Amino acid sequence: MIEAHHLSKVYDRGLYALRDLSLTVEHGEFVFLTGPSGAGKSTLLRLLLRQELASEGELVVDGEHLSDLTASQVQAYRRSIGFIFQDFKLIPRKTVLENVAFVPRVLSASATQQRRKTFQVLKWVGLQHRMNAYPVELSGGEQQRVAIARALVNDPMLVLADEPTGNLDPDLSLEIMNLLREINARGTTVLVATHDRELIRRVGRRAITLDHGQIVEVMDGDRGDGVVVRPVTAV
Amino acid sequence: MQVLRYCFEEATASFWRGRRSGAMSVMTSAAAIFVLGALLMLTENLERVIGGWESAAELVVYVSDEATGDERAAIERRISASAVARSHTLVSKSDALRRFRADFAELASVIDELDSNPLPASYEVRLQSDPGLGSAVDDFADTLRGAAGVADVRYDREWIARISMGVTALRALGALVVFALVVAAALTVANVVRLAGHTRRGELEIMRLVGAPLAYVRGPFVVEGMLQGGVGAAVALGMLWGAFALGEFYYGSMIATLLSATPATFLPVELYAILLAGGLAVGSVGGMVGARRTARAERTV
Ligand SMILES: Nc1ncnc2c1ncn2[C@@H]1O[C@H](COP(=O)(O)OP(=O)(O)OP(=O)(O)O)[C@@H](O)[C@H]1O
Ligand SMILES: [Mg+2]
């Protein structure tokens, strides 16, 4: 699903946010990106969302070379991706329903399709009873569930989450992770950037650790208790 | 159709939310359209006045009382033979007196006290309306002036031409002013729409991230600009109509006299449509500029 070949991202003043990074994420995989602050996790997700272009190397998602996409191809590509952020990025002026329905709406879905999909995902994240509430009236966990519903409403093949639980307490974090695991169980590839090593341990999936823009460690999660640690030389 | 509906709903909501700053772009658009409309109305009516004068433009040849029959016949022959004259009529001394009595009834008694009729006979010559004949008419007037039995030649096309030039200059100057106002209006709309876009930046970011088509992203800006320009144009038309009605009320009879008894006209219907379309166009250009600027400023569009 995701193939990065010798990927580098250089910001001004020669700062390497990513340096010669290569990795592969299989179709239907659930992968954590972790590492200290400034390691390059968000940068990699931004490259994957095609918000920025790599300075060197190649990034291929589902067969698409991201550096070769035209503006309209970028739009089409993004329609196949769901994103979740630490700060939820909900629109305060819109209700829960409107926040979610907004996406199919601006993608020209028919009115019935908008309604059907929106109800379906809101029910799935367990918020069908709060549809007419505004984001400020919701708890952090509920807001993030709305954001997840919005990420799913378009049936993405890939879900990218940047610190989705950064603002939530441990119980809520696990709840959100369980939702992401369920999405993954239905075949969607999920990539989650997080600091929370405890959460990674509890979820038990492959975790790629970055530092200074490079992969320093890959842990193969055992989907449960113990964690198998495998130092990385090449990926 | 869905995209139109979306853009329209977003734009009206945004217009309403930002109605204070929106009032500013409506006002500048209204000012631009008002000046344009006033200019068109003014020049249109001035041109009608001039047109009336031009078609009535005459060359009047006053025959001296001492002119002999031969001299009169020679004058008349000269007029009929000229290429610039369309037709002519002889106004005899008694015709002239009758006319004078009708036009200036209160002065009639003055004339009656005189022993003889002081008014000369004249030939009123209607000229060809071809404007290219200007110098030929001048030559014609000069030769008549020198002819035996001619007391004087009066020819008014020269100052009509001068006024006509004045109108052209007014129009050019006005066009310049209108252009400046239109640019100012478009820029105001652009800034106001951009300001409104700033409050929608959340939506804009989400739209960008989910890969919404450009029409959804930029359309609301254009429609909002169009609304501002359109409302501005409507306000301007109302103001023009009011100004016209006031002018008509206070100066109507004077204007009517100037226009030789036909009343001044408000803008023709096509011009309403053109002004309204102009307001919409100015607004949507402003909206587009606003969308582009938002794109650059917020990197979201
Ligand atoms: N737009 C930018 N311009 C310049 N430098 C940037 C930019 N974005 C990120 N960086 C730098 O790139 C490096 C990687 O940043 P990134 O945000 O990817 O880290 P991160 O792993 O997500 O960190 P955190 O855990 O704090 O979110 C940092 O040193 C950061 O300062
Ligand atoms: Mg980050």
Side-chain angles (χ1 to χ4, degrees):
Chain A
M1 168 63 72
I2 300 171
E3 286 173 61
H5 302 291
H6 304 289
L7 202 61
S8 292
K9 177 68 190 178
V10 190
Y11 286 113
D12 7 287
R13 281 169 295 169
L15 180 106
Y16 275 83
L18 294 174
R19 188 191 288 270
D20 195 28
L21 179 140
S22 297
L23 64 79
T24 304
V25 173
E26 298 298 337
H27 203 95
E29 226 189 322
F30 188 123
V31 177
F32 283 111
L33 279 177
T34 186
S37 187
K41 306 181 292 292
S42 299
T43 302
L44 180 56
L45 293 183
R46 277 201 301 276
L47 293 183
L48 282 167
L49 248 179
R50 186 46 172 77
Q51 284 177 281
E52 288 172 7
L53 282 171
S55 312
E56 285 158 47
E58 259 196 299
L59 189 55
V60 185
V61 179
D62 198 33
E64 304 270 16
H65 292 251
L66 296 197
S67 51
D68 299 343
L69 300 182
T70 63
S72 64
Q73 285 171 329
V74 168
Q75 288 165 15
Y77 166 70
R78 285 185 181 156
R79 282 172 216 155
S80 65
I81 295 180
F83 55 85
I84 301 161
F85 295 100
Q86 177 172 358
D87 58 357
F88 320 133
K89 292 199 196 297
L90 299 180
I91 298 157
R93 233 178 311 106
K94 293 190 191 291
T95 64
V96 166
L97 183 79
E98 288 163 348
N99 261 285
V100 177
F102 179 67
V103 173
R105 179 148 197 230
V106 297
L107 298 179
S108 294
S110 73
T112 42
Q113 212 181 333
Q114 282 173 38
R115 214 169 311 126
R116 195 173 53 76
K117 279 301 294 180
T118 302
F119 284 136
Q120 192 185 323
V121 289
L122 280 174
K123 192 163 168 220
W124 191 78
V125 299
L127 281 177
Q128 70 273 34
H129 60 292
R130 305 297 321 262
M131 281 191 310
N132 296 315
Y134 286 89
V136 286
E137 301 164 357
L138 302 179
S139 71
E142 286 171 328
Q143 290 187 48
Q144 194 58 297
R145 272 159 37 203
V146 177
I148 290 175
R150 182 180 62 194
L152 296 182
V153 72
N154 202 28
D155 289 325
M157 60 170 188
L158 172 64
V159 169
L160 304 173
D162 195 356
E163 308 277 3
T165 60
N167 284 343
L168 306 177
D169 66 40
D171 286 346
L172 280 178
S173 297
L174 198 61
E175 194 181 293
I176 294 298
M177 280 305 152
N178 285 334
L179 277 177
L180 292 174
R181 263 205 303 215
E182 271 186 64
I183 299 168
N184 176 242
R186 299 189 309 174
T188 304
T189 310
V190 177
L191 194 57
V192 180
T194 181
H195 278 115
D196 194 338
R197 300 206 145 239
E198 172 61 16
L199 194 68
I200 296 174
R201 198 191 59 74
R202 285 170 76 176
V203 176
R205 299 300 176 96
R206 183 151 79 110
I208 297 169
T209 307
L210 300 182
D211 196 5
H212 292 99
Q214 291 176 300
I215 297 178
V216 293
E217 188 180 67
V218 174
M219 296 176 285
D220 280 328
D222 65 352
R223 300 172 176 246
D225 15 15
V227 171
V228 182
V229 179
R230 188 183 69 184
V232 165
T233 39
V235 180
Chain B
M1 286 314 99
Q2 251 215 64
V3 60
L4 281 184
R5 200 176 140 195
Y6 172 81
C7 293
F8 201 79
E9 283 177 13
E10 285 294 313
T12 44
S14 177
F15 190 11
W16 181 245
R17 260 200 311 277
R19 57 193 172 279
R20 289 237 184 100
S21 47
M24 239 171 55
S25 42
V26 165
M27 262 155 45
T28 48
S29 308
I33 299 296
F34 179 81
V35 172
L36 175 61
L39 184 74
L40 289 173
M41 205 155 82
L42 192 69
T43 51
E44 159 81 17
N45 280 304
L46 276 177
E47 257 166 15
R48 274 184 53 213
V49 173
I50 292 166
W53 285 340
E54 253 170 359
S55 67
E58 286 179 338
L59 188 140
V60 184
V61 184
Y62 294 101
V63 181
S64 81
D65 287 351
E66 290 83 42
T68 63
D70 278 355
E71 282 167 352
R72 282 163 203 261
I75 294 169
E76 195 156 354
R77 262 202 311 281
R78 225 184 261 262
I79 294 172
S80 331
S82 167
V84 297
R86 189 152 43 108
S87 65
H88 65 274
T89 36
L90 173 66
V91 179
S92 69
K93 282 178 73 74
S94 52
D95 289 341
L97 187 61
R98 207 173 306 120
R99 253 197 224 171
F100 184 86
R101 283 215 169 98
D103 289 350
F104 304 99
E106 57 274 32
L107 291 178
S109 56
V110 180
I111 288 251
D112 289 341
E113 281 167 22
L114 299 171
D115 302 337
S116 61
N117 176 358
L119 300 171
S122 61
Y123 288 102
E124 287 180 356
V125 184
R126 294 201 170 271
L127 298 168
Q128 300 288 3
S129 48
D130 183 351
L133 290 175
S135 64
V137 177
D138 289 343
D139 294 345
F140 177 54
D142 285 344
T143 41
L144 280 175
R145 249 178 221 120
V150 172
D152 192 13
V153 175
R154 202 195 68 195
Y155 170 46
D156 18 60
R157 198 172 284 229
E158 279 156 16
W159 62 270
I160 291 176
R162 224 165 284 145
I163 290 179
S164 197
M165 243 156 66
V167 172
T168 309
L170 177 72
R171 178 169 285 183
L173 189 75
L176 224 66
V177 172
V178 167
F179 179 74
L181 286 173
V182 160
V183 170
L187 287 179
T188 309
V189 169
N191 280 319
V192 168
V193 157
R194 201 190 127 185
L195 203 70
H198 189 71
T199 67
R200 283 192 297 128
R201 65 191 179 285
E203 281 101 319
L204 291 171
E205 187 182 4
I206 301 297
M207 280 197 265
R208 182 182 52 117
L209 290 175
V210 300
L214 214 56
Y216 280 89
V217 182
R218 296 201 175 174
F221 285 91
V222 178
V223 175
E224 188 176 346
M226 239 163 80
L227 287 176
Q228 290 173 358
V231 172
V235 168
L237 283 176
M239 276 168 24
L240 277 173
W241 188 85
F244 178 80
L246 274 180
E248 177 95 303
F249 182 75
Y250 287 110
Y251 303 109
S253 56
M254 197 177 100
I255 295 169
T257 318
L258 271 176
L259 289 166
S260 33
T262 55
T265 49
F266 191 54
L267 298 169
V269 182
E270 314 90 75
L271 266 178
Y272 282 114
I274 288 174
L275 288 182
L276 201 62
L280 293 173
V282 168
S284 38
V285 168
M288 254 180 284
V289 173
R292 293 188 70 100
R293 286 189 180 174
T294 307
R296 232 174 299 144
E298 320 233 348
R299 307 183 77 227
T300 52
V301 187

